[in-house]
Amino acid sequence: MSGRKQFDVDQALDQAMRVFWQRGYADASLDALGSATGLGRGSLYGTFGGKDALFRQCLDRYASMYGARYEEALAAHADDPVRAVEAFFEVVLARIADPGVPGGCLVAQSAAQSPTLKEERRTQVRALLDTQRARVHEALASSSAPPQVRDELATYVVAVSQSLAVLSRAGTPDGELRSVARLACTTVSDTLARAAGG
């Protein structure tokens, strides 16, 4: 339409996602979001429905982008739970090391700021963590370890992955992050072997 500014909605969403990822929800001001996306407040509200609605869409986009990578990594080693967890951590570490995105993890950043989020967003963040846990749990299903052990390990793996994101934000070197991931994989391997009576 003549006289209207045209823009790529997906590109604007990606730019907004980076602002939330880098600053967190509380510090992602409308001015910062507008500057990153090139949109005025009216366009932001008209296109995305306000800051909370924009944040919801950014969380969905982030989960879609990275969720597929996690699922592929875990599914590639369906018969080897330890190798699946190693592949999972490789995806985590690759995202952390990617210079094209902010440090850490949008979900970890959002979880840390849960008190500042609306109840619906807190629920959404928790659901994203639960989805991650369910993915890992499914990857452990081929183990003969009892269900409770697999449950605990799935929670442990997700906890370590979130901790890696936080450590990376604090400037922890890649080598140290990889050491944490290796130790976590060793813990998974040893726990599964003990639980299976191996």
Side-chain angles (χ1 to χ4, degrees):
M1 187 179 210
S2 179
R4 281 187 73 174
K5 182 177 179 180
Q6 300 297 312
F7 61 92
D8 185 320
V9 173
D10 287 339
Q11 184 178 1
L13 198 55
D14 284 341
Q15 294 304 319
M17 180 177 70
R18 289 169 185 266
V19 174
F20 286 122
W21 189 342
Q22 191 165 35
R23 296 181 176 216
Y25 181 83
D27 293 331
S29 67
L30 287 175
D31 287 342
L33 290 164
S35 178
T37 60
L39 301 176
R41 288 184 184 217
S43 293
L44 279 172
Y45 274 87
T47 303
F48 300 107
K51 181 178 172 180
D52 181 66
L54 175 57
F55 182 52
R56 174 184 56 76
Q57 292 172 69
C58 288
L59 286 171
D60 287 342
R61 189 163 181 82
Y62 183 89
S64 176
M65 287 171 56
Y66 290 102
R69 296 180 196 180
Y70 292 125
E71 288 172 5
E72 288 172 13
L74 291 164
H77 306 282
D79 296 327
D80 186 344
V82 175
R83 183 65 192 98
V85 170
E86 289 172 353
F88 171 85
F89 280 125
E90 279 302 320
V91 174
V92 173
L93 293 167
R95 186 203 64 230
I96 287 171
D98 184 351
V101 298
C105 166
L106 178 59
V107 176
Q109 170 81 300
S110 303
Q113 293 194 340
S114 283
T116 69
L117 304 179
K118 292 185 177 180
E119 183 178 349
E120 295 86 352
R121 279 329 119 239
R122 289 196 300 271
T123 300
Q124 183 180 9
V125 169
R126 181 67 215 178
L128 291 174
L129 290 169
D130 289 343
T131 297
Q132 194 76 302
R133 184 180 175 281
R135 285 188 185 111
V136 175
H137 191 274
E138 184 176 345
L140 299 173
S142 64
S143 164
S144 58
Q148 181 180 348
V149 171
R150 297 197 305 268
D151 289 346
E152 291 169 353
L153 282 176
T155 300
Y156 168 74
V157 168
V158 172
V160 173
S161 75
Q162 295 300 300
S163 297
L164 289 171
V166 173
L167 289 171
S168 74
R169 288 284 294 231
T172 302
D174 182 70
E176 291 183 27
L177 298 177
R178 289 187 173 278
S179 178
V180 170
R182 279 195 303 271
L183 285 170
C185 291
T186 298
T187 299
V188 170
S189 178
D190 291 349
T191 301
L192 289 175
R194 280 197 308 272

